[in-house]
Amino acid sequence: MDPYKYRPSNHFDAPYWTTNSGVPVWNNNNSLTVGSRGPVLLEDYHLIEKLAQFDRERIPERVVHARGATAKGFFEVTHDISHLTCADVFRAPGVQTPVITRFSTVIHERGSPETLRDPRGFAVKFYTREGNWDLVGNNMPVFFIRDGIKFPDMIHALKPNPKNHLQEDWRIADFFSHVPEAMHMFTFLQDDVGIPLNYRHMEGFGVHTFTLINKEGKITYVKFHWKPACGVKCLLEDEAVTVGGSNHSHATKDLYDSIAAGDYPEWKLMIQTMEVADEDKFDFDPLDDTKTWPEDIFPLQPVGRMVLNKNPDNFFNENEQVAYCPALIVPGIGYSDDKMLQTRIFSYADTQRYRLGPNYLMLPVNAPKNVHHNNHHDGVMNFMHRDEEVNYFPSRFDPVRHSEKYPYQNMKVSGNREKMCIAKENNFAQAGARWRSFDPARQNRFINRIAGMLTAPRVTQEVRRVWLGYMSQCDSTLGQKLAAKVQAASQM
């Protein structure tokens, strides 16, 4: 008897998508939401299975953001925003809160050079008096996709080919030929900012729309921005080769050496705010993470500054074991119905439980610094000393009670249960506007990088036509110049 006769194999694939249990999947592009905008429903089994499976693909390295460096310091409030939020971390100018910040490259593995073209992670853990708040973002203000159900597919396309373990442009071009909303992100990734000089000269963005909630319960949409005090600086390709050739950990070394020398990196925290009642007044969806909010309409407002003045005491303990999760918020800060954010709320905590174990929040670097209490017990690597007899709630033998009620997000939600895209996609306008803002030399560098991807081996004419169509919708001149560059390169 052949022991492999019934072994699962892609040689016997169904012609349609299914769950792991073989159930047909009729929509692999959109999460199940209340109405077209959300929030996302936990009952979307296909979404949860897809994300949970993806979160467990690597042992023990992070699936994404594997290469990173951390530093510790403080956040200080410089401007009063207590009229916008009751969050204790923002209670008054002069208030300082301990932080640990991790910078990272997104796609490449832990030992990869820090000069590769790749988005950079920018994650800050605030140890507030009301618990930990994780502001988890990137060095680019937008993202490739607007629905987290496509995140595993996107990362698979950007990661190396599973057959030969080589990152190949034809896979990237093919996948994103199906994702028109990604064109805005590519105007960042394939722009000069695609390779930061180092972590100190890098912006940070919360990317998603969050909410601020004040003591009266008023809800305001907000976007978070980190602006480096030493300015934004980047590496062009030849510079990256030179820097990377001498030190593949140049950004980590620069961060460590700067702090050790007393040249402490500093960032200003800025916010953009929007009234909830105004969210339908624009030609884009403000909760769409592939869009930015125009700064002439929503000006940047200063909030505070972050200073990193201490290197990690142990790299493994405070870099490999530090765990960030956008689900970790504090009273006065809330989520929005951004579909990508909604799925990250589940996925980040899930992958940390897998990577570090169910009690990862007990690790010193992840544990809150304020007093806390719950009845979570046992599990792998549980090292908390407990001698109580009552581990349930409520109990007349245990004085622990509910906290005082604080304002929370209570916006009304209505709509049909459905899988569909948002109404205002508007995939190309902001991408075109950004490209037009470049000077001619910068425009040409962007065109050359996109053309290089589209003329790579195995990129088909169909994929090129789709990309050229997308770029032409971003800007007709961009489309024409890119088409000419692709044609010229194809004839060489």
Side-chain angles (χ1 to χ4, degrees):
M1 180 178 177
D2 182 1
Y4 299 111
K5 183 176 181 180
Y6 299 105
R7 180 178 63 177
S9 169
N10 62 1
H11 293 293
F12 305 102
D13 276 351
Y16 49 82
W17 288 106
T18 72
T19 65
N20 284 347
S21 61
V23 177
V25 173
W26 67 269
N27 188 329
N28 195 31
N29 291 320
N30 303 104
S31 303
L32 183 65
T33 55
V34 179
S36 65
R37 298 177 71 218
V40 173
L41 296 177
L42 186 62
E43 70 180 70
D44 190 347
Y45 171 79
H46 167 55
L47 167 69
I48 300 300
E49 178 188 84
K50 187 174 180 180
L51 292 174
Q53 184 90 19
F54 173 73
D55 290 342
R56 290 160 174 78
E57 286 186 358
R58 299 288 187 276
I59 303 173
E61 182 177 289
R62 290 172 170 90
V63 180
V64 288
H65 299 276
R67 177 68 190 265
T70 52
K72 297 179 285 187
F74 64 88
F75 171 76
E76 180 181 17
V77 179
T78 57
H79 292 71
D80 185 11
I81 60 168
S82 58
H83 61 291
L84 293 172
T85 176
C86 61
D88 184 72
V89 64
F90 298 126
R91 62 187 179 274
V95 169
Q96 291 189 357
T97 301
V99 300
I100 184 168
T101 299
R102 186 174 190 267
F103 308 100
S104 56
T105 56
V106 175
I107 297 301
H108 300 94
E109 57 271 14
R110 192 163 57 190
S112 59
E114 292 179 311
T115 50
L116 296 177
R117 184 172 296 277
D118 197 355
R120 265 60 172 178
F122 194 122
V124 183
K125 186 183 294 291
F126 298 77
Y127 298 104
T128 87
R129 301 193 308 181
E130 295 180 312
N132 291 355
W133 171 38
D134 287 0
L135 182 53
V136 189
N138 289 330
N139 70 321
M140 300 172 184
V142 294
F143 202 57
F144 294 100
I145 53 176
R146 62 168 64 98
D147 193 319
I149 199 170
K150 298 202 71 62
F151 189 78
D153 300 296
M154 181 197 76
I155 298 299
H156 286 168
L158 291 167
K159 287 276 191 181
N161 184 326
K163 188 170 185 177
N164 59 21
H165 199 66
L166 297 175
Q167 188 182 38
E168 297 175 324
D169 283 340
W170 69 267
R171 290 163 40 82
I172 298 171
D174 174 38
F175 174 76
F176 286 107
S177 71
H178 302 277
V179 188
E181 69 263 30
M183 296 304 106
H184 195 192
M185 178 62 168
F186 273 98
T187 66
F188 289 90
L189 180 61
Q190 298 292 5
D191 179 29
D192 295 348
V193 298
I195 309 178
L197 173 62
N198 50 49
Y199 296 134
R200 290 186 299 123
H201 291 86
M202 192 175 79
E203 290 182 288
F205 301 90
V207 179
H208 303 288
T209 300
F210 292 87
T211 60
L212 298 177
I213 310 162
N214 69 12
K215 59 184 180 181
E216 287 79 30
K218 181 185 177 183
I219 299 170
T220 304
Y221 286 140
V222 64
K223 279 185 175 287
F224 296 100
H225 304 253
W226 294 106
K227 300 295 183 182
C230 56
V232 176
K233 295 182 181 179
C234 309
L235 293 171
L236 298 183
E237 282 80 354
D238 57 341
E239 297 169 324
V241 171
T242 301
V243 171
S246 60
N247 183 0
H248 84 296
S249 301
H250 82 283
T252 296
K253 185 177 187 303
D254 174 83
L255 180 66
Y256 190 95
D257 289 351
S258 296
I259 294 174
D263 182 14
Y264 301 139
E266 182 174 331
W267 286 261
K268 291 182 179 179
L269 179 62
M270 315 287 284
I271 60 172
Q272 290 177 289
T273 59
M274 178 190 297
E275 296 293 332
V276 174
D278 293 340
E279 63 178 317
D280 295 324
K281 295 181 178 179
F282 311 98
D283 62 359
F284 66 95
D285 189 329
L287 308 190
D288 180 357
D289 70 345
T290 69
K291 303 294 188 296
T292 56
W293 294 359
E295 292 182 14
D296 58 338
I297 303 175
F298 306 100
L300 294 175
Q301 308 168 47
V303 176
R305 68 187 186 114
M306 177 175 68
V307 178
L308 300 180
N309 58 9
K310 191 175 189 304
N311 281 310
D313 298 307
N314 179 276
F315 184 83
F316 180 79
N317 288 347
E318 296 181 314
N319 184 75
E320 292 307 299
Q321 292 196 126
V322 67
Y324 294 90
C325 177
L328 300 186
I329 56 175
V330 291
I333 300 172
Y335 315 123
S336 76
D337 292 340
D338 173 349
K339 293 185 186 182
M340 191 68 206
L341 173 60
Q342 292 271 316
T343 51
R344 290 179 75 205
I345 290 169
F346 160 76
S347 184
Y348 273 60
D350 185 55
T351 196
Q352 304 297 6
R353 293 185 187 103
Y354 166 67
R355 190 174 67 88
L356 298 172
N359 293 302
Y360 74 95
L361 289 176
M362 289 186 186
L363 293 168
V365 70
N366 299 320
K369 307 307 180 190
N370 59 311
V371 294
H372 55 285
H373 176 88
N374 57 54
N375 290 324
H376 300 325
H377 267 253
D378 305 336
V380 176
M381 300 297 286
N382 188 315
F383 55 88
M384 180 179 289
H385 172 71
R386 310 193 76 148
D387 58 7
E388 72 269 33
E389 295 182 282
V390 175
N391 60 349
Y392 49 86
F393 180 87
S395 168
R396 291 184 173 86
F397 295 93
D398 188 342
V400 173
R401 63 188 190 283
H402 288 119
S403 71
E404 296 296 323
K405 186 177 180 180
Y406 51 82
Y408 63 95
Q409 194 160 308
N410 60 353
M411 291 187 292
K412 183 177 180 181
V413 175
S414 64
N416 297 324
R417 297 160 61 250
E418 53 196 352
K419 281 179 172 276
M420 63 182 295
C421 191
I422 63 174
K424 295 180 181 178
E425 292 188 73
N426 200 350
N427 293 321
F428 308 111
Q430 291 193 1
R434 176 169 168 79
W435 181 79
R436 288 189 295 273
S437 73
F438 298 163
D439 61 57
R442 191 171 174 181
Q443 289 181 345
N444 288 334
R445 289 194 294 270
F446 173 79
I447 289 171
N448 289 338
R449 292 170 189 136
I450 297 293
M453 178 178 66
L454 297 182
T455 55
R458 297 184 66 178
V459 176
T460 66
Q461 288 290 351
E462 180 184 8
V463 169
R464 289 174 189 159
R465 283 196 298 269
V466 172
W467 270 85
L468 291 173
Y470 288 165
M471 289 296 172
S472 295
Q473 291 179 78
C474 294
D475 183 274
S476 59
T477 301
L478 167 59
Q480 293 167 6
K481 289 185 175 182
L482 180 60
K485 179 65 69 173
V486 168
Q487 184 177 10
S490 302
Q491 293 173 349
M492 293 179 62

